[in-house]
Amino acid sequence: MIPVVGYEGRKVAVLGLGRSGISAARSLVAGGAEALCWDDSVEARDRAAAEGFTIHDLTRAGAFDSVACLVVSPGIPHLYPEPNRVIAAAWEAGVPVDNDIGLFFRSLGQGDWMDHDTPPRVIAVTGSNGKSTTAALIHHIFSEVGVPSQLAGNIGRGVLDIEPPHDGEVIVLELSSYQTDLARSLTPDVAVFTNLSPDHLDRHGGMGGYFAAKRRLFAEGGPDRCVIGVDEPEGRYLANQLVEGLEDSRLIRISAGQKLVHGWSVFARKGFLSEWRKGRQSVSIDLRAMDGLPGAHNHQNACAAYSAARALNLGPRQIETALASFKGLPHRSQLVGEKDGVRFVNDSKATNVDAAAKALQAFPRIRWIAGGLGKDGGISDLAPHLGAVAKAYLIGFSARDFALQLGDTPYEICETMEVAVAKAAAEAEAGDTVLLAPAAASFDQYPNFEKRGEDFTAQVEALL
C-alpha cells in the first residue's frame, strides 16, 4: 500500500466505494487522514462500514464543512454529460476534487524515495486501444530481464494498492481517460500514447474533450521521455507540441505502418520492428513468429513497449527475447485453442469499431462472432475490413442492426454465444480463425467484456 501524504489529521471525502474508492480510503487512513466515505449503493456503504470506515452522506447540506479534498472514483462523471451532484457541491464549497491517480503521484515520491541508489521510475500508458496489452508487455519485459516491476492502474491492482517500490523498480500504469482527466498530479518518468479513436465521447463532451483528457498526461505531467503513436493526426499534433525538433531525443515516435526515419523512431512494417536514430536503422526484430503478438495492432503495441523499455536503457536484444516469450492477455487476441487447422481467438476486449477493425486485419480467413450492445454509428465503418470474413455470426441486442450493415458479407443471426461458437466451429475449414471481436459493449448479455470472453472460451473448450 502507498500511504497518502499531505492530509495528516484532515478530513478527506471519498465518493464511490468500488475498488479504487476503498483503496483510496485505506491509503488515506494509512497516511493519517480521516476518510469520510459515501456511495449511492447501500450495499457498498455497508461493506465500507464493516471495514471500519466512517460513512458520511455527501448529498446533504453542509457535507463539505471542514473537508480538505474530495476523492472521486473514475466511473463517476464530473463534467459531461453533466456533473455528479456531489462533485458540483464540492466545487461550490471550494473543495478540491481529485482521484486515486492524483493521490498516487502526490504521495509516491515522498518518504524514503530519495534514499534509493536508483530511484524507482514510473511508466504510464494511455490511448484508445492497446494500452492494456502495452502496459502488460512493458511489465513483462522488465520482469523477464530481472528488473523488479509492478503493474497497476486500469489493469491489475489499484495504484494505491501496490507495494512501496524497491531500489530501481519500475512501476507500469495503464491509465484510462477517466483517470487522466481528473488527476491533479501526473508526473510519470515515461509516458506512452498508443493511438486515438472515438470512445467515451458522451463522458468527455466529444472527440476534443476525449483527446484533451489523454493529452493531460503529457502536457501537465512533464515526463522525461515520451513515446507517441503518430498514426493519427492527434498523435502527430501531440508529438509536435512536446519537442523542439525532429532530433529531440525526449520523444520516440512509433507507428504500425509508416516508415519513420527522422529523430528517434520505432515502427513495424510487414511483421518487422525497426528502430531508427539519427537517420539510420539500428535494430530490426522479426515479430511474425511471436504468437502472443498477432496482427498489426499488436505490432504497434510491441513498438510502444519496446520504446518504453529503450527509454529506460534496456538493450534491444534483451527486449527481443522478452517479446518472444509474451503470451498475450486474456480477451485480447488470445489464442484459446486449435483443432484440425482451425484457430479460436478471443478478442472480447474489442468493444469498439477501431479495435474490431484491427482484429479483423490480423488473420487471413475469419469466422467472425460479433454483436452485443452496439455503439453510436454501428459497424458501418468496418466495411473496408470485411474482406477476410468468410461469415459473420451475430449475437446480442444489436445483431439485427449489425446484419443490415454487413453488405455482401454472409451472416447468420445466432443470438447467443453458445449457438455462434457451435455454428462457426461446424462450418470452419482448415486455415480459418473463429474470432470473437464483438465491436460492441457486453452489457446486454454480460456484466463486462471479461465474462463475455470467458463464455466464448468455455464454449470453445467444450468443443475441443
Side-chain angles (χ1 to χ4, degrees):
M1 178 190 299
I2 304 294
V4 173
V5 303
Y7 294 110
E8 295 85 350
R10 305 171 75 185
K11 296 178 180 178
V12 177
V14 178
L15 176 63
L17 301 176
R19 185 187 71 167
S20 67
I22 286 294
S23 173
R26 291 171 183 149
S27 292
L28 284 161
V29 171
E34 180 183 357
L36 306 179
C37 298
W38 184 252
D39 194 297
D40 289 341
S41 164
V42 175
E43 293 80 5
R45 297 200 300 265
D46 288 345
R47 287 194 298 270
E51 195 170 327
F53 291 114
T54 300
I55 304 302
H56 182 75
D57 186 352
L58 295 175
T59 65
R60 64 174 176 79
F64 287 99
D65 293 347
S66 302
V67 170
C69 179
L70 171 65
V71 177
V72 179
S73 293
I76 300 173
H78 59 275
L79 192 54
Y80 302 110
E82 63 182 25
N84 178 276
R85 59 176 177 162
V86 173
I87 295 174
W91 293 345
E92 194 69 25
V95 173
V97 180
D98 206 346
N99 62 14
D100 62 331
I101 304 300
L103 297 181
F104 170 83
F105 280 110
R106 174 191 180 109
S107 306
L108 190 63
Q110 305 298 319
D112 62 354
W113 188 265
M114 298 311 297
D115 294 338
H116 294 295
D117 291 334
T118 304
R121 287 161 294 182
V122 178
I123 299 174
V125 181
T126 195
S128 295
N129 298 304
K131 58 184 179 294
S132 294
T133 296
T134 298
L137 186 51
I138 295 169
H139 171 62
H140 173 79
I141 290 169
F142 282 100
S143 299
E144 285 293 293
V145 302
V147 176
S149 177
Q150 297 187 70
L151 178 64
N154 204 45
I155 185 174
R157 291 180 289 176
V159 291
L160 293 169
D161 285 336
I162 70 170
E163 298 300 319
H166 301 295
D167 190 271
E169 190 162 11
V170 174
I171 300 166
V172 185
L173 304 181
E174 179 199 340
L175 299 182
S176 71
S177 59
Y178 291 6
Q179 294 170 311
T180 58
D181 197 18
L182 192 59
R184 298 176 71 90
S185 178
L186 288 166
T187 54
D189 297 279
V190 179
V192 179
F193 177 87
T194 58
N195 51 56
L196 197 78
S197 63
D199 208 359
H200 310 305
L201 300 189
D202 58 336
R203 174 66 181 266
H204 296 292
M207 196 67 176
Y210 178 49
F211 176 53
K214 302 286 189 184
R215 181 179 174 274
R216 290 190 73 243
L217 182 63
F218 303 84
E220 300 185 30
D224 295 332
R225 196 156 264 157
C226 300
V227 176
I228 306 291
V230 295
D231 287 337
E232 294 85 30
E234 293 86 354
R236 293 191 287 275
Y237 168 86
L238 183 57
N240 182 266
Q241 281 204 319
L242 292 174
V243 292
E244 297 299 323
L246 281 172
E247 302 305 319
D248 192 332
S249 64
R250 292 174 298 176
L251 170 68
I252 306 175
R253 294 173 176 82
I254 64 168
S255 172
Q258 303 177 63
K259 184 177 181 179
L260 307 173
V261 299
H262 298 293
W264 193 353
S265 58
V266 176
F267 61 88
R269 294 181 74 200
K270 298 181 180 179
F272 286 86
L273 180 153
S274 298
E275 178 183 358
W276 284 63
R277 296 191 74 172
K278 299 180 180 178
R280 300 180 64 181
Q281 182 175 346
S282 58
V283 175
S284 178
I285 296 174
D286 188 351
L287 301 173
R288 294 173 299 175
M290 296 183 183
D291 289 339
L293 296 167
H297 62 304
N298 275 308
H299 292 174
Q300 183 188 50
N301 299 335
C303 289
Y306 175 94
S307 300
R310 291 288 286 132
L312 294 186
N313 300 316
L314 289 191
R317 297 311 164 199
Q318 289 178 293
I319 302 171
E320 179 179 9
T321 300
L323 290 175
S325 64
F326 184 65
K327 301 301 183 186
L329 288 178
H331 318 301
R332 298 162 177 88
S333 296
Q334 175 194 12
L335 178 61
V336 175
E338 186 171 349
K339 183 178 182 181
D340 299 330
V342 177
R343 294 158 60 92
F344 295 83
V345 174
N346 167 21
D347 203 346
S348 182
K349 185 62 169 66
T351 58
N352 59 41
V353 165
D354 189 66
K358 290 177 168 60
L360 291 173
Q361 296 172 70
F363 307 99
R365 182 177 164 87
I366 297 169
R367 302 281 172 174
W368 180 34
I369 299 176
L373 189 60
K375 298 186 176 182
D376 289 347
I379 58 169
S380 57
D381 288 347
L382 285 176
H385 309 293
L386 299 178
V389 177
K391 184 175 178 179
Y393 304 81
L394 303 175
I395 64 173
F397 179 82
S398 297
R400 286 165 177 79
D401 289 338
F402 279 18
L404 296 175
Q405 301 174 65
L406 285 174
D408 296 331
T409 302
Y411 70 86
E412 185 169 345
I413 304 293
C414 296
E415 303 286 0
T416 68
M417 186 71 72
E418 180 180 10
V419 173
V421 171
K423 291 274 190 181
E427 296 176 2
E429 303 171 358
D432 287 359
T433 296
V434 176
L435 171 68
L436 170 65
S442 60
F443 306 125
D444 57 332
Q445 294 177 311
Y446 304 93
N448 49 52
F449 74 85
E450 291 96 341
K451 292 298 183 184
R452 177 170 60 190
E454 289 169 8
D455 189 14
F456 173 80
T457 299
Q459 301 297 334
V460 170
E461 289 177 345
L463 287 174
L464 298 182

